[in-house]
mmCIF file of all heavy atoms in Angstrom:
data_model
loop_
_atom_site.group_PDB
_atom_site.id
_atom_site.type_symbol
_atom_site.label_atom_id
_atom_site.label_comp_id
_atom_site.label_asym_id
_atom_site.label_seq_id
_atom_site.Cartn_x
_atom_site.Cartn_y
_atom_site.Cartn_z
ATOM 1 N N LYS A 1 92.750 82.838 72.118
ATOM 2 C CA LYS A 1 93.543 81.894 72.890
ATOM 3 C C LYS A 1 92.785 81.433 74.123
ATOM 4 O O LYS A 1 91.848 82.087 74.578
ATOM 5 C CB LYS A 1 94.875 82.520 73.311
ATOM 6 C CG LYS A 1 95.811 82.860 72.157
ATOM 7 C CD LYS A 1 97.148 83.338 72.667
ATOM 8 C CE LYS A 1 98.114 83.606 71.532
ATOM 9 N NZ LYS A 1 99.442 84.056 72.043
ATOM 10 N N GLU A 2 93.211 80.281 74.661
ATOM 11 C CA GLU A 2 92.627 79.770 75.892
ATOM 12 C C GLU A 2 93.159 80.546 77.091
ATOM 13 O O GLU A 2 94.232 81.141 77.041
ATOM 14 C CB GLU A 2 92.935 78.282 76.063
ATOM 15 C CG GLU A 2 92.290 77.385 75.034
ATOM 16 C CD GLU A 2 92.515 75.921 75.321
ATOM 17 O OE1 GLU A 2 93.350 75.604 76.192
ATOM 18 O OE2 GLU A 2 91.852 75.098 74.683
ATOM 19 N N ARG A 3 92.398 80.523 78.159
ATOM 20 C CA ARG A 3 92.844 81.150 79.392
ATOM 21 C C ARG A 3 94.078 80.420 79.915
ATOM 22 O O ARG A 3 94.108 79.189 79.967
ATOM 23 C CB ARG A 3 91.723 81.121 80.424
ATOM 24 C CG ARG A 3 91.974 81.980 81.647
ATOM 25 C CD ARG A 3 90.710 82.120 82.493
ATOM 26 N NE ARG A 3 89.632 82.739 81.752
ATOM 27 C CZ ARG A 3 88.451 83.062 82.274
ATOM 28 N NH1 ARG A 3 88.213 82.832 83.564
ATOM 29 N NH2 ARG A 3 87.530 83.617 81.516
ATOM 30 N N GLU A 4 95.112 81.172 80.306
ATOM 31 C CA GLU A 4 96.358 80.567 80.735
ATOM 32 C C GLU A 4 96.787 81.075 82.106
ATOM 33 O O GLU A 4 96.494 82.203 82.499
ATOM 34 C CB GLU A 4 97.476 80.831 79.718
ATOM 35 C CG GLU A 4 97.876 82.288 79.587
ATOM 36 C CD GLU A 4 99.049 82.489 78.645
ATOM 37 O OE1 GLU A 4 99.571 81.497 78.113
ATOM 38 O OE2 GLU A 4 99.443 83.661 78.435
ATOM 39 N N PHE A 5 97.510 80.215 82.792
ATOM 40 C CA PHE A 5 98.037 80.538 84.108
ATOM 41 C C PHE A 5 99.123 81.589 84.004
ATOM 42 O O PHE A 5 99.967 81.554 83.108
ATOM 43 C CB PHE A 5 98.596 79.271 84.757
ATOM 44 C CG PHE A 5 99.371 79.511 86.015
ATOM 45 C CD1 PHE A 5 98.723 79.745 87.219
ATOM 46 C CD2 PHE A 5 100.755 79.501 86.000
ATOM 47 C CE1 PHE A 5 99.435 79.965 88.378
ATOM 48 C CE2 PHE A 5 101.480 79.721 87.154
ATOM 49 C CZ PHE A 5 100.813 79.958 88.351
ATOM 50 N N VAL A 6 99.130 82.543 84.934
ATOM 51 C CA VAL A 6 100.148 83.585 84.992
ATOM 52 C C VAL A 6 100.999 83.450 86.254
ATOM 53 O O VAL A 6 102.219 83.337 86.177
ATOM 54 C CB VAL A 6 99.522 84.989 84.940
ATOM 55 C CG1 VAL A 6 100.593 86.064 85.105
ATOM 56 C CG2 VAL A 6 98.763 85.187 83.632
ATOM 57 N N ALA A 7 100.366 83.481 87.412
ATOM 58 C CA ALA A 7 101.083 83.412 88.681
ATOM 59 C C ALA A 7 100.116 83.039 89.789
ATOM 60 O O ALA A 7 98.914 83.266 89.677
ATOM 61 C CB ALA A 7 101.761 84.752 88.998
ATOM 62 N N ALA A 8 100.640 82.479 90.871
ATOM 63 C CA ALA A 8 99.820 82.136 92.026
ATOM 64 C C ALA A 8 100.676 82.113 93.277
ATOM 65 O O ALA A 8 101.908 82.056 93.205
ATOM 66 C CB ALA A 8 99.134 80.781 91.833
ATOM 67 N N LEU A 9 100.014 82.165 94.419
ATOM 68 C CA LEU A 9 100.689 82.029 95.694
ATOM 69 C C LEU A 9 99.818 81.257 96.663
ATOM 70 O O LEU A 9 98.611 81.131 96.484
ATOM 71 C CB LEU A 9 101.074 83.401 96.276
ATOM 72 C CG LEU A 9 100.010 84.487 96.442
ATOM 73 C CD1 LEU A 9 99.050 84.197 97.590
ATOM 74 C CD2 LEU A 9 100.691 85.837 96.677
ATOM 75 N N VAL A 10 100.469 80.718 97.695
ATOM 76 C CA VAL A 10 99.743 80.115 98.804
ATOM 77 C C VAL A 10 99.309 81.248 99.718
ATOM 78 O O VAL A 10 100.140 82.023 100.186
ATOM 79 C CB VAL A 10 100.628 79.103 99.560
ATOM 80 C CG1 VAL A 10 99.892 78.551 100.777
ATOM 81 C CG2 VAL A 10 101.050 77.966 98.635
ATOM 82 N N TRP A 11 98.010 81.360 99.946
ATOM 83 C CA TRP A 11 97.488 82.512 100.664
ATOM 84 C C TRP A 11 98.086 82.655 102.057
ATOM 85 O O TRP A 11 98.330 83.776 102.517
ATOM 86 C CB TRP A 11 95.956 82.431 100.746
ATOM 87 C CG TRP A 11 95.340 83.622 101.412
ATOM 88 C CD1 TRP A 11 94.693 83.651 102.614
ATOM 89 C CD2 TRP A 11 95.327 84.960 100.914
ATOM 90 N NE1 TRP A 11 94.278 84.927 102.892
ATOM 91 C CE2 TRP A 11 94.642 85.753 101.871
ATOM 92 C CE3 TRP A 11 95.814 85.567 99.749
ATOM 93 C CZ2 TRP A 11 94.454 87.120 101.699
ATOM 94 C CZ3 TRP A 11 95.630 86.930 99.584
ATOM 95 C CH2 TRP A 11 94.952 87.684 100.549
ATOM 96 N N SER A 12 98.350 81.542 102.726
ATOM 97 C CA SER A 12 98.936 81.593 104.058
ATOM 98 C C SER A 12 100.415 81.949 104.039
ATOM 99 O O SER A 12 101.004 82.183 105.092
ATOM 100 C CB SER A 12 98.731 80.261 104.784
ATOM 101 O OG SER A 12 99.379 79.206 104.103
ATOM 102 N N GLY A 13 101.025 81.968 102.847
ATOM 103 C CA GLY A 13 102.414 82.370 102.703
ATOM 104 C C GLY A 13 103.354 81.223 102.394
ATOM 105 O O GLY A 13 103.027 80.057 102.587
ATOM 106 N N GLY A 14 104.534 81.566 101.880
ATOM 107 C CA GLY A 14 105.605 80.596 101.722
ATOM 108 C C GLY A 14 105.963 80.222 100.308
ATOM 109 O O GLY A 14 107.151 80.045 100.007
ATOM 110 N N SER A 15 104.985 80.110 99.409
ATOM 111 C CA SER A 15 105.262 79.620 98.062
ATOM 112 C C SER A 15 104.629 80.512 97.010
ATOM 113 O O SER A 15 103.496 80.965 97.175
ATOM 114 C CB SER A 15 104.755 78.190 97.882
ATOM 115 O OG SER A 15 105.423 77.298 98.753
ATOM 116 N N THR A 16 105.371 80.740 95.928
ATOM 117 C CA THR A 16 104.859 81.446 94.756
ATOM 118 C C THR A 16 105.155 80.633 93.511
ATOM 119 O O THR A 16 106.110 79.852 93.477
ATOM 120 C CB THR A 16 105.469 82.847 94.614
ATOM 121 O OG1 THR A 16 106.896 82.734 94.527
ATOM 122 C CG2 THR A 16 105.110 83.719 95.810
ATOM 123 N N TYR A 17 104.344 80.839 92.465
ATOM 124 C CA TYR A 17 104.468 80.092 91.217
ATOM 125 C C TYR A 17 104.280 81.059 90.061
ATOM 126 O O TYR A 17 103.409 81.921 90.108
ATOM 127 C CB TYR A 17 103.413 78.981 91.146
ATOM 128 C CG TYR A 17 103.368 78.113 92.372
ATOM 129 C CD1 TYR A 17 102.596 78.468 93.468
ATOM 130 C CD2 TYR A 17 104.109 76.935 92.444
ATOM 131 C CE1 TYR A 17 102.562 77.679 94.607
ATOM 132 C CE2 TYR A 17 104.079 76.145 93.580
ATOM 133 C CZ TYR A 17 103.305 76.516 94.656
ATOM 134 O OH TYR A 17 103.267 75.729 95.781
ATOM 135 N N TYR A 18 105.091 80.898 88.995
ATOM 136 C CA TYR A 18 105.030 81.772 87.840
ATOM 137 C C TYR A 18 105.087 80.976 86.548
ATOM 138 O O TYR A 18 105.815 79.994 86.446
ATOM 139 C CB TYR A 18 106.189 82.769 87.837
ATOM 140 C CG TYR A 18 106.171 83.760 88.966
ATOM 141 C CD1 TYR A 18 106.874 83.521 90.134
ATOM 142 C CD2 TYR A 18 105.456 84.951 88.862
ATOM 143 C CE1 TYR A 18 106.868 84.431 91.177
ATOM 144 C CE2 TYR A 18 105.440 85.864 89.895
ATOM 145 C CZ TYR A 18 106.147 85.605 91.054
ATOM 146 O OH TYR A 18 106.133 86.514 92.086
ATOM 147 N N ALA A 19 104.340 81.433 85.566
ATOM 148 C CA ALA A 19 104.493 80.910 84.219
ATOM 149 C C ALA A 19 105.830 81.367 83.646
ATOM 150 O O ALA A 19 106.317 82.459 83.960
ATOM 151 C CB ALA A 19 103.351 81.387 83.330
ATOM 152 N N ASP A 20 106.427 80.536 82.794
ATOM 153 C CA ASP A 20 107.734 80.871 82.229
ATOM 154 C C ASP A 20 107.718 82.197 81.477
ATOM 155 O O ASP A 20 108.710 82.931 81.478
ATOM 156 C CB ASP A 20 108.206 79.757 81.298
ATOM 157 C CG ASP A 20 108.615 78.506 82.040
ATOM 158 O OD1 ASP A 20 108.865 78.583 83.258
ATOM 159 O OD2 ASP A 20 108.702 77.442 81.400
ATOM 160 N N ARG A 21 106.631 82.520 80.828
ATOM 161 C CA ARG A 21 106.546 83.733 80.021
ATOM 162 C C ARG A 21 106.631 85.014 80.835
ATOM 163 O O ARG A 21 106.970 86.063 80.292
ATOM 164 C CB ARG A 21 105.244 83.735 79.206
ATOM 165 C CG ARG A 21 105.269 82.830 77.995
ATOM 166 C CD ARG A 21 104.001 83.008 77.177
ATOM 167 N NE ARG A 21 104.066 82.285 75.915
ATOM 168 C CZ ARG A 21 104.543 82.792 74.799
ATOM 169 N NH1 ARG A 21 105.001 84.037 74.765
ATOM 170 N NH2 ARG A 21 104.564 82.059 73.694
ATOM 171 N N VAL A 22 106.345 84.941 82.130
ATOM 172 C CA VAL A 22 106.332 86.149 82.947
ATOM 173 C C VAL A 22 107.384 86.136 84.048
ATOM 174 O O VAL A 22 107.592 87.161 84.708
ATOM 175 C CB VAL A 22 104.942 86.388 83.570
ATOM 176 C CG1 VAL A 22 103.870 86.377 82.496
ATOM 177 C CG2 VAL A 22 104.639 85.348 84.644
ATOM 178 N N LYS A 23 108.045 85.016 84.248
ATOM 179 C CA LYS A 23 109.030 84.897 85.318
ATOM 180 C C LYS A 23 110.145 85.926 85.129
ATOM 181 O O LYS A 23 110.695 86.076 84.046
ATOM 182 C CB LYS A 23 109.600 83.485 85.343
ATOM 183 C CG LYS A 23 110.436 83.162 86.577
ATOM 184 C CD LYS A 23 110.854 81.697 86.589
ATOM 185 C CE LYS A 23 109.652 80.776 86.650
ATOM 186 N NZ LYS A 23 110.046 79.341 86.706
ATOM 187 N N GLY A 24 110.459 86.645 86.194
ATOM 188 C CA GLY A 24 111.474 87.681 86.143
ATOM 189 C C GLY A 24 110.933 89.055 85.821
ATOM 190 O O GLY A 24 111.636 90.057 86.020
ATOM 191 N N ARG A 25 109.706 89.136 85.311
ATOM 192 C CA ARG A 25 109.076 90.411 84.984
ATOM 193 C C ARG A 25 107.894 90.733 85.881
ATOM 194 O O ARG A 25 107.657 91.895 86.205
ATOM 195 C CB ARG A 25 108.603 90.429 83.524
ATOM 196 C CG ARG A 25 109.723 90.258 82.515
ATOM 197 C CD ARG A 25 109.206 90.468 81.094
ATOM 198 N NE ARG A 25 108.199 89.467 80.725
ATOM 199 C CZ ARG A 25 106.956 89.755 80.364
ATOM 200 N NH1 ARG A 25 106.551 91.021 80.322
ATOM 201 N NH2 ARG A 25 106.114 88.789 80.032
ATOM 202 N N PHE A 26 107.142 89.701 86.277
ATOM 203 C CA PHE A 26 105.955 89.891 87.108
ATOM 204 C C PHE A 26 106.242 89.421 88.527
ATOM 205 O O PHE A 26 107.018 88.485 88.746
ATOM 206 C CB PHE A 26 104.774 89.082 86.573
ATOM 207 C CG PHE A 26 104.211 89.557 85.266
ATOM 208 C CD1 PHE A 26 104.844 90.531 84.513
ATOM 209 C CD2 PHE A 26 103.032 89.006 84.788
ATOM 210 C CE1 PHE A 26 104.321 90.963 83.305
ATOM 211 C CE2 PHE A 26 102.497 89.426 83.582
ATOM 212 C CZ PHE A 26 103.132 90.398 82.839
ATOM 213 N N THR A 27 105.589 90.055 89.495
ATOM 214 C CA THR A 27 105.710 89.664 90.891
ATOM 215 C C THR A 27 104.326 89.591 91.518
ATOM 216 O O THR A 27 103.565 90.564 91.458
ATOM 217 C CB THR A 27 106.575 90.651 91.687
ATOM 218 O OG1 THR A 27 107.880 90.744 91.095
ATOM 219 C CG2 THR A 27 106.729 90.183 93.130
ATOM 220 N N ILE A 28 104.001 88.450 92.119
ATOM 221 C CA ILE A 28 102.727 88.291 92.802
ATOM 222 C C ILE A 28 102.944 88.477 94.303
ATOM 223 O O ILE A 28 103.956 88.046 94.855
ATOM 224 C CB ILE A 28 102.094 86.916 92.493
ATOM 225 C CG1 ILE A 28 100.669 86.836 93.048
ATOM 226 C CG2 ILE A 28 102.953 85.772 93.019
ATOM 227 C CD1 ILE A 28 99.890 85.615 92.569
ATOM 228 N N SER A 29 102.012 89.129 94.960
ATOM 229 C CA SER A 29 102.098 89.351 96.394
ATOM 230 C C SER A 29 100.698 89.519 96.962
ATOM 231 O O SER A 29 99.731 89.612 96.221
ATOM 232 C CB SER A 29 102.959 90.576 96.714
ATOM 233 O OG SER A 29 102.391 91.756 96.174
ATOM 234 N N ARG A 30 100.610 89.560 98.294
ATOM 235 C CA ARG A 30 99.300 89.767 98.906
ATOM 236 C C ARG A 30 99.439 90.549 100.192
ATOM 237 O O ARG A 30 100.499 90.581 100.818
ATOM 238 C CB ARG A 30 98.593 88.423 99.144
ATOM 239 C CG ARG A 30 98.753 87.802 100.529
ATOM 240 C CD ARG A 30 100.091 87.136 100.725
ATOM 241 N NE ARG A 30 100.066 86.222 101.859
ATOM 242 C CZ ARG A 30 101.054 86.064 102.726
ATOM 243 N NH1 ARG A 30 102.193 86.757 102.578
ATOM 244 N NH2 ARG A 30 100.932 85.199 103.725
ATOM 245 N N ASP A 31 98.359 91.198 100.586
ATOM 246 C CA ASP A 31 98.245 91.900 101.850
ATOM 247 C C ASP A 31 97.085 91.242 102.584
ATOM 248 O O ASP A 31 95.923 91.510 102.279
ATOM 249 C CB ASP A 31 97.996 93.389 101.633
ATOM 250 C CG ASP A 31 97.992 94.184 102.926
ATOM 251 O OD1 ASP A 31 97.745 93.598 103.997
ATOM 252 O OD2 ASP A 31 98.234 95.400 102.868
ATOM 253 N N THR A 32 97.390 90.372 103.533
ATOM 254 C CA THR A 32 96.338 89.624 104.216
ATOM 255 C C THR A 32 95.455 90.524 105.073
ATOM 256 O O THR A 32 94.273 90.231 105.268
ATOM 257 C CB THR A 32 96.941 88.514 105.094
ATOM 258 O OG1 THR A 32 97.881 89.083 106.016
ATOM 259 C CG2 THR A 32 97.656 87.484 104.235
ATOM 260 N N ALA A 33 95.999 91.624 105.590
ATOM 261 C CA ALA A 33 95.203 92.546 106.389
ATOM 262 C C ALA A 33 94.111 93.205 105.555
ATOM 263 O O ALA A 33 93.048 93.547 106.073
ATOM 264 C CB ALA A 33 96.086 93.608 107.033
ATOM 265 N N LYS A 34 94.372 93.396 104.259
ATOM 266 C CA LYS A 34 93.410 94.013 103.356
ATOM 267 C C LYS A 34 92.681 92.995 102.487
ATOM 268 O O LYS A 34 91.838 93.380 101.670
ATOM 269 C CB LYS A 34 94.108 95.028 102.458
ATOM 270 C CG LYS A 34 94.705 96.210 103.197
ATOM 271 C CD LYS A 34 95.357 97.173 102.228
ATOM 272 C CE LYS A 34 95.918 98.384 102.949
ATOM 273 N NZ LYS A 34 96.573 99.334 102.007
ATOM 274 N N ASN A 35 93.019 91.703 102.633
ATOM 275 C CA ASN A 35 92.453 90.646 101.780
ATOM 276 C C ASN A 35 92.598 91.007 100.299
ATOM 277 O O ASN A 35 91.656 90.885 99.520
ATOM 278 C CB ASN A 35 90.984 90.395 102.122
ATOM 279 C CG ASN A 35 90.803 89.704 103.451
ATOM 280 O OD1 ASN A 35 91.693 89.000 103.925
ATOM 281 N ND2 ASN A 35 89.644 89.894 104.063
ATOM 282 N N THR A 36 93.793 91.434 99.936
ATOM 283 C CA THR A 36 94.040 91.905 98.583
ATOM 284 C C THR A 36 95.239 91.188 97.968
ATOM 285 O O THR A 36 96.277 91.036 98.616
ATOM 286 C CB THR A 36 94.279 93.418 98.563
ATOM 287 O OG1 THR A 36 93.124 94.079 99.089
ATOM 288 C CG2 THR A 36 94.530 93.909 97.149
ATOM 289 N N LEU A 37 95.082 90.767 96.726
ATOM 290 C CA LEU A 37 96.135 90.141 95.934
ATOM 291 C C LEU A 37 96.630 91.146 94.904
ATOM 292 O O LEU A 37 95.835 91.898 94.332
ATOM 293 C CB LEU A 37 95.583 88.903 95.235
ATOM 294 C CG LEU A 37 96.559 88.076 94.401
ATOM 295 C CD1 LEU A 37 97.491 87.285 95.302
ATOM 296 C CD2 LEU A 37 95.788 87.147 93.469
ATOM 297 N N TYR A 38 97.942 91.143 94.633
ATOM 298 C CA TYR A 38 98.532 92.082 93.694
ATOM 299 C C TYR A 38 99.322 91.346 92.620
ATOM 300 O O TYR A 38 99.825 90.253 92.832
ATOM 301 C CB TYR A 38 99.483 93.050 94.402
ATOM 302 C CG TYR A 38 98.843 93.865 95.489
ATOM 303 C CD1 TYR A 38 98.985 93.502 96.817
ATOM 304 C CD2 TYR A 38 98.097 94.996 95.188
ATOM 305 C CE1 TYR A 38 98.407 94.247 97.827
ATOM 306 C CE2 TYR A 38 97.510 95.745 96.185
ATOM 307 C CZ TYR A 38 97.664 95.372 97.505
ATOM 308 O OH TYR A 38 97.083 96.119 98.499
ATOM 309 N N LEU A 39 99.438 91.987 91.468
ATOM 310 C CA LEU A 39 100.332 91.517 90.420
ATOM 311 C C LEU A 39 101.075 92.726 89.870
ATOM 312 O O LEU A 39 100.484 93.553 89.174
ATOM 313 C CB LEU A 39 99.568 90.806 89.294
ATOM 314 C CG LEU A 39 100.443 90.181 88.206
ATOM 315 C CD1 LEU A 39 101.243 89.008 88.784
ATOM 316 C CD2 LEU A 39 99.610 89.724 87.015
ATOM 317 N N GLN A 40 102.354 92.844 90.209
ATOM 318 C CA GLN A 40 103.194 93.904 89.688
ATOM 319 C C GLN A 40 103.785 93.431 88.370
ATOM 320 O O GLN A 40 104.492 92.424 88.331
ATOM 321 C CB GLN A 40 104.311 94.249 90.671
ATOM 322 C CG GLN A 40 105.269 95.322 90.179
ATOM 323 C CD GLN A 40 104.599 96.663 90.016
ATOM 324 O OE1 GLN A 40 103.882 97.113 90.903
ATOM 325 N NE2 GLN A 40 104.823 97.313 88.879
ATOM 326 N N MET A 41 103.507 94.146 87.298
ATOM 327 C CA MET A 41 103.944 93.769 85.960
ATOM 328 C C MET A 41 104.930 94.809 85.449
ATOM 329 O O MET A 41 104.576 95.977 85.273
ATOM 330 C CB MET A 41 102.753 93.648 85.010
ATOM 331 C CG MET A 41 101.682 92.680 85.500
ATOM 332 S SD MET A 41 100.347 92.442 84.296
ATOM 333 C CE MET A 41 99.598 94.077 84.341
ATOM 334 N N ASN A 42 106.167 94.392 85.215
ATOM 335 C CA ASN A 42 107.213 95.260 84.689
ATOM 336 C C ASN A 42 107.666 94.767 83.319
ATOM 337 O O ASN A 42 107.411 93.626 82.945
ATOM 338 C CB ASN A 42 108.406 95.295 85.645
ATOM 339 C CG ASN A 42 108.071 95.843 87.006
ATOM 340 O OD1 ASN A 42 107.226 96.727 87.147
ATOM 341 N ND2 ASN A 42 108.753 95.334 88.032
#
């Protein structure tokens, strides 16, 4: 399969985006102090 979008956020904060296939199950977040992006998958 082709590479597909899962989730994204605006690094400065405020907006998140999810693919329909993962909405409600995955959560994207970031820790700006650690310059780290996370994806919690349930």
Side-chain angles (χ1 to χ4, degrees):
K1 295 186 177 181
E2 294 185 348
R3 191 169 300 185
E4 66 176 359
F5 170 79
V6 176
L9 54 73
V10 176
W11 183 247
S12 62
S15 297
T16 58
Y17 310 87
Y18 295 94
D20 288 342
R21 283 186 173 271
V22 307
K23 191 175 298 182
R25 299 187 297 121
F26 291 9
T27 302
I28 188 170
S29 62
R30 95 282 197 219
D31 185 337
T32 56
K34 296 181 178 180
N35 289 335
T36 300
L37 183 74
Y38 301 100
L39 185 67
Q40 178 65 47
M41 304 185 292
N42 298 327

